[in-house]
Amino acid sequence: MIRTRMAPSPTGNLHIGTARTTLFNWLFARKNKGEFLLRIEDTDLERSKPEYEKDVIDGLRWLGLGWDNKEIIRQSERLNIYEAYLKKLLSSSKAFWCDHTKEELEEESKKQRAKSKSPRHICSHKKEKRNSGQIIRLSVDENSDKKIRFQDVIRGKIEFEENLMGDFSLAKDLQTPLYNFAVVADDIDMEISHVIRGEDHISNTPKQLLIYEALGMNPPIFAHLPLILGADRSKMSKRHGETSINEYKKDYLPEVMINFMGFLGYTYGKEIISKEEMVQELELEKVHKSGAIFDAKKLNWINSQYIKKLSPQEFKNLANVPNLPNEAVSLVTERLEKLTDVSNFDYFWKSPDYDSELLKWKKFSLKDSKKSLEQVEKIVSSHNFKNKDEIRSKLDDLAKEIGDRGLVYWPFRVALTGRDKSPDPVDVAYVLGKEKTLERVRLALE
Ligand code: GLU
């Protein structure tokens, strides 16, 4: 059975990288009719916080990336499992207690660096059987000429020298596992078949492979996703976007985030695609190797495409504008990239408030605007609001008479909307209806 997992550490909010990795794991599991599990890696007690766990879980739920484990799996609730694995490694002398002090370790790495060797601890007493010490380490052969190899689904063959690993740490004590060890214990226990995660974890993989070997277990298949880069090609950071997926909620549809994140490292056959369609298309081998650029413009464009397809009621609920008239919805959604920008169309549900100077058109005076609006008022009051072409041609005739189109349409627009940008004022007038249109034109005249 194919089984993937997402293993976020609740030491921060759900950011785009974690959400993207979750999506790929979710898609791959669905594609193979397997399972996708969520595990909270909260062994770092100082930095893990319940509010971050909540942010992660809320965000994944919003995105519709559900997991197949009924109860949330937390590392902090599995300490006995790690202890059992550690005891196994200690009793077979694959792991040992080490009590070199911090100072001794620093001294050692200083000497290694001086000889241009990569710093690692090679413990002098790893053959001794001890029952306690500062820390538990894996015993690694410093004279090995073996290579640690694995075939990454995305990146192909990857290898590391075993003798560069050193006797790396597994746990602070029997109940305090460290990252590399806890991940392996959990992935074995949860029978994970594929570990799909960010490229930043490649360097952890050889250590994890040595732990699998020491435990006599077969490792899973690894697939390392490309990093997400900002538009300037530097590593994605707070500067490039929101720090939590939940901050996208107010402006973007969850389907949009999924559509957008699907392309962070993959090219699907069409630009607007649902996660069900991605499930059909995704092939892990075709994930890109090079960094995926986070393009905020593309995100906005995808959002605008989804917004256009919403029904009036769906849109009004999502944008939280119950008072927007249904007839205005398409005028708004055709022009919207982000949901909160709906506030630029508030004249559809409340009277505009603007500075009268705005009624002035280019080189003309306020008086000129007034004269033109007086004619507009006459046209509107004699119009029955049944035929847009008819009122348009009357306004166009007026424009010809005055000799400037803007002098007719600009003050009319401002009177109705209080803004310098809006849909065609005739369209706006038809949504507002005759009464409100006249009211606003008259208010402008005053
Ligand atoms: N807790 C790790 C992280 O958040 C998970 C790494 C992994 O997937 O193995 O980066």
Side-chain angles (χ1 to χ4, degrees):
M1 150 104 95
I2 299 283
R3 197 177 270 133
T4 63
R5 54 40 165 203
M6 188 61 210
S9 309
T11 53
N13 288 329
L14 177 64
H15 60 81
I16 192 100
T18 308
R20 189 273 308 251
T21 303
T22 308
L23 172 63
F24 280 60
N25 275 284
W26 188 96
L27 293 171
F28 185 73
R30 291 288 170 274
K31 169 154 196 132
N32 291 286
K33 312 237 172 330
E35 284 183 350
F36 165 68
L37 306 181
L38 177 70
R39 170 174 87 222
I40 302 289
E41 302 214 314
D42 58 350
T43 43
D44 184 339
L45 295 176
E46 263 160 48
R47 290 173 57 224
S48 296
K49 300 233 155 65
E51 56 267 36
Y52 292 139
E53 180 181 308
K54 183 176 182 306
D55 189 89
V56 169
I57 286 175
D58 287 353
L60 294 180
R61 289 220 167 103
W62 177 65
L63 292 168
L65 298 175
W67 43 94
D68 294 314
N69 40 313
K70 294 207 174 61
E71 306 270 331
I72 303 255
I73 302 167
R74 289 187 192 85
Q75 286 190 324
S76 58
E77 291 163 9
R78 298 166 58 79
L79 302 181
N80 292 338
I81 294 171
Y82 308 123
E83 175 160 356
Y85 279 108
L86 284 168
K87 282 186 170 158
K88 195 175 158 194
L89 289 173
L90 285 165
S91 67
S92 63
S93 297
K94 302 253 164 71
F96 63 93
W97 284 101
C98 165
D99 51 16
H100 278 108
T101 61
K102 219 173 127 202
E103 291 72 27
E104 288 169 326
L105 296 176
E106 272 166 18
E107 188 60 26
E108 182 186 21
S109 75
K110 224 161 116 193
K111 281 188 192 150
Q112 288 165 336
R113 265 195 291 260
K115 292 188 201 157
S116 322
K117 287 190 174 164
S118 59
R120 61 196 184 275
H121 180 52
I122 298 166
C123 197
S124 48
H125 57 242
K126 62 181 159 193
K127 298 270 172 329
E128 295 164 29
K129 281 230 179 202
R130 300 180 175 196
N131 294 324
S132 66
Q134 302 260 4
I135 202 166
I136 301 170
R137 293 179 178 278
L138 191 78
S139 176
V140 181
D141 181 2
E142 79 262 26
N143 299 314
S144 165
D145 53 7
K146 257 187 18 206
K147 296 232 191 315
I148 309 168
R149 291 199 173 93
F150 68 100
Q151 186 71 23
D152 189 287
V153 181
I154 299 164
R155 318 189 69 84
K157 200 164 105 184
I158 299 186
E159 51 179 45
F160 293 86
E161 308 274 344
E162 176 162 341
N163 60 28
L164 293 179
M165 294 297 132
D167 300 313
F168 63 87
S169 51
L170 299 176
K172 289 191 184 159
D173 58 53
L174 289 169
Q175 294 259 337
T176 316
L178 293 168
Y179 162 69
N180 279 309
F181 172 71
V183 164
V184 171
D186 285 334
D187 286 342
I188 291 174
D189 230 56
M190 291 161 68
E191 295 179 38
I192 300 302
S193 66
H194 288 70
V195 168
I196 305 171
R197 59 186 175 191
E199 190 188 294
D200 44 331
H201 284 292
I202 290 182
S203 58
N204 290 320
T205 310
K207 290 183 179 169
Q208 293 175 11
L209 288 168
L210 288 175
I211 299 171
Y212 279 101
E213 196 184 297
L215 287 168
M217 300 301 289
N218 285 329
I221 292 168
F222 291 95
H224 287 96
L225 304 173
L227 289 181
I228 302 176
L229 307 174
D232 56 1
R233 296 204 144 258
S234 66
K235 197 174 174 233
M236 185 78 188
S237 73
K238 283 183 194 158
R239 280 184 299 121
H240 299 104
E242 305 294 355
T243 51
S244 164
I245 285 293
N246 292 304
E247 288 169 36
Y248 289 92
K249 279 185 190 169
K250 62 184 192 315
D251 277 321
Y252 301 92
L253 276 60
E255 298 84 352
V256 169
M257 298 307 296
I258 294 284
N259 193 147
F260 175 73
M261 293 191 300
F263 280 85
L264 293 173
Y266 202 83
T267 308
Y268 288 95
K270 53 178 185 173
E271 291 204 89
I272 299 298
I273 186 166
S274 67
K275 63 178 187 291
E276 290 70 29
E277 291 169 310
M278 289 182 187
V279 166
Q280 302 304 318
E281 263 195 59
L282 177 74
E283 287 176 49
L284 220 42
E285 303 75 28
K286 291 192 182 160
V287 172
H288 305 165
K289 291 191 187 57
S290 56
I293 308 273
F294 180 98
D295 179 353
K297 280 206 194 97
K298 180 159 180 205
L299 174 60
N300 285 344
W301 178 80
I302 297 174
N303 208 37
S304 72
Q305 301 304 304
Y306 279 78
I307 287 175
K308 277 192 198 94
K309 291 202 202 106
L310 295 170
S311 74
Q313 204 48 52
E314 281 170 333
F315 175 73
K316 284 161 60 170
N317 291 343
L318 277 168
N320 193 18
V321 282
N323 297 328
L324 179 71
N326 278 357
E327 315 81 72
V329 169
S330 68
L331 292 178
V332 176
T333 54
E334 270 163 32
R335 291 166 172 78
L336 216 59
E337 290 199 322
K338 297 184 188 177
L339 291 173
T340 55
D341 288 345
V342 73
S343 63
N344 295 332
F345 299 86
D346 57 359
Y347 46 83
F348 281 124
W349 64 87
K350 62 180 199 204
S351 316
D353 182 19
Y354 55 94
D355 184 348
S356 55
E357 284 293 303
L358 191 62
L359 289 160
K360 256 170 74 174
W361 170 243
K362 289 200 170 155
K363 58 184 194 292
F364 297 92
S365 66
L366 263 182
K367 253 201 187 129
D368 295 325
S369 288
K370 189 168 184 202
K371 270 191 232 150
S372 148
L373 264 183
E374 277 162 0
Q375 300 304 311
V376 172
E377 196 241 21
K378 276 190 196 134
I379 294 172
V380 172
S381 52
S382 67
H383 180 65
N384 61 8
F385 278 71
K386 295 225 164 79
N387 184 342
K388 276 188 193 174
D389 290 339
E390 189 186 296
I391 190 168
R392 275 203 181 97
S393 77
K394 285 195 180 144
L395 291 167
D396 288 345
D397 288 347
L398 173 64
K400 263 180 227 148
E401 202 183 299
I402 300 181
D404 192 294
R405 226 183 126 71
L407 194 50
V408 173
Y409 284 96
W410 178 268
F412 188 29
R413 172 196 308 282
V414 174
L416 298 185
T417 69
R419 293 178 187 260
D420 57 1
K421 268 190 221 83
S422 78
D424 179 339
V426 173
D427 289 336
V428 175
Y430 263 64
V431 171
L432 294 175
K434 183 164 181 168
E435 204 181 311
K436 277 200 186 122
T437 301
L438 274 177
E439 208 175 89
R440 292 187 188 185
V441 170
R442 284 172 188 154
L443 199 73
L445 283 169
E446 271 171 37

